Amino acid sequence: MRITGFGIDIGYLYAKAVALGEDGNIIFEEYQLHQGDYDGAVAALLKKSAAPPSTPVVLTGQESRRWQQNDHDWVHEARALTHGVTPPGDPVRAILHVGASGVALVGLDDQGHLAAYETNTLCAAGTGSFLDEQAERLGIVYGEQVTLPDGEEIPDIATRCTVFAKSDLIHRQQEGFSREAMWAGLCEGMTATLFQTLLKGRELPGRTILTGGVSQN
C-alpha cells in the first residue's frame, strides 16, 4: 500500500515514526536511538519505510523544536497525542505521557478535544532518564525481569532528586534490602512523584491512556 503521510516524534532519546496508508491506517512504525544526530535518525527512519521523497512529513516531540526543517510541518506534542487517541468505547478524558525527560498530562473534553495540558519543570524527577540512572546504579539492564521476592518489604526511597535517591539506596542496601526491593521502592516513589507533579492533589478526570517509553515498564 502506498504511504500517504509520515509522522516523526523526536524525543529526548529516540526518534519514532509512523506512516499512514491510503486508507488512513498505520502501515509502518519504527523507532531509532538518535544520540543527538537528528538528521541521521530521521534519514534512517525514512529509508526503512521506503517512503517516496514527496511524502508529507509532520514533526512533533520535545527535541523536534530544536531541529525543524523548513519543508516539514510541526505540531505540538499535546495535539499530536490528542489526535492519536481513538477511543474504542468509553470516551478518553486524559492522556498521561511519561518519556525520558518529560511527563505530561493532557486533558480532553467530552468530544475528545484538547482541554488542558500540564507538564513537568526542567527537573527530571519522575521521568525515564531518572529511572535509567538508578537502574544503572543497581546493575539492572533493559529486558531483565526484576521480581520482588514474596513477602519482602518495599522501602521508601526519595525520588525527587538523584542525589537523595543515591543516598537512600546506599542506606537501604546497608539495611539489608535486596536490589529488587530497592527497585520496587524507586518505581513506587517515581509514580508518586509523577502524580504529585501533574495532578497536584486532584484525581484523574476519567478514563486515561498511558503513553511514552516508561509506559512499557
Side-chain angles (χ1 to χ4, degrees):
M1 183 179 291
R2 186 172 65 90
I3 291 176
T4 59
F6 208 85
I8 296 178
D9 176 349
I10 304 178
Y12 184 72
L13 292 178
Y14 289 90
K16 291 83 71 179
V18 294
L20 302 180
E22 294 167 301
D23 59 359
N25 292 322
I26 294 175
I27 58 174
F28 170 85
E29 53 184 319
E30 187 61 83
Y31 66 94
Q32 179 92 18
L33 184 67
H34 59 63
Q35 297 180 312
D37 180 10
Y38 308 134
D39 286 309
V42 171
L45 290 169
L46 289 169
K47 183 178 180 180
K48 285 181 183 179
S49 73
S54 60
T55 303
V57 175
V58 177
L59 294 172
T60 190
Q62 176 182 331
E63 298 300 306
S64 66
R65 281 170 281 191
R66 303 186 186 186
W67 181 86
Q68 281 193 43
Q69 302 297 306
N70 293 331
D71 55 343
H72 295 329
D73 291 329
W74 180 85
V75 62
H76 191 279
E77 48 263 42
R79 294 201 176 277
L81 287 167
T82 301
H83 185 72
V85 171
T86 305
D90 296 334
V92 174
R93 296 307 303 268
I95 305 167
L96 183 62
H97 180 79
V98 191
S101 72
V103 296
L105 181 67
V106 180
L108 308 178
D109 64 17
D110 292 335
Q111 286 74 45
H113 300 145
L114 177 63
Y117 180 66
E118 294 275 353
T119 188
N120 62 321
T121 63
L122 293 177
C123 176
T127 66
S129 60
F130 171 85
L131 208 55
D132 287 346
E133 186 175 338
Q134 311 314 317
E136 184 177 354
R137 187 167 284 141
L138 291 172
I140 293 171
V141 297
Y142 289 121
E144 179 179 356
Q145 185 70 35
V146 182
T147 304
L148 183 70
D150 289 339
E152 183 166 4
E153 180 186 353
I154 297 176
D156 291 329
I157 296 178
T159 54
R160 284 224 167 255
C161 171
T162 56
V163 176
F164 292 159
K166 179 181 179 180
S167 177
D168 265 9
L169 288 175
I170 292 171
H171 292 152
R172 299 298 177 257
Q173 191 173 30
Q174 291 171 343
E175 291 168 0
F177 285 99
S178 68
R179 70 171 191 147
E180 291 81 8
M182 290 188 288
W183 180 248
L186 275 167
C187 290
E188 280 198 349
M190 182 182 136
T191 303
T193 297
L194 184 152
F195 280 111
Q196 289 164 10
T197 299
L198 295 177
L199 295 174
K200 301 177 179 63
R202 303 186 303 264
E203 292 186 356
L204 286 167
R207 184 163 181 261
T208 300
I209 299 293
L210 185 62
T211 68
V214 183
S215 68
Q216 299 180 64
N217 187 317

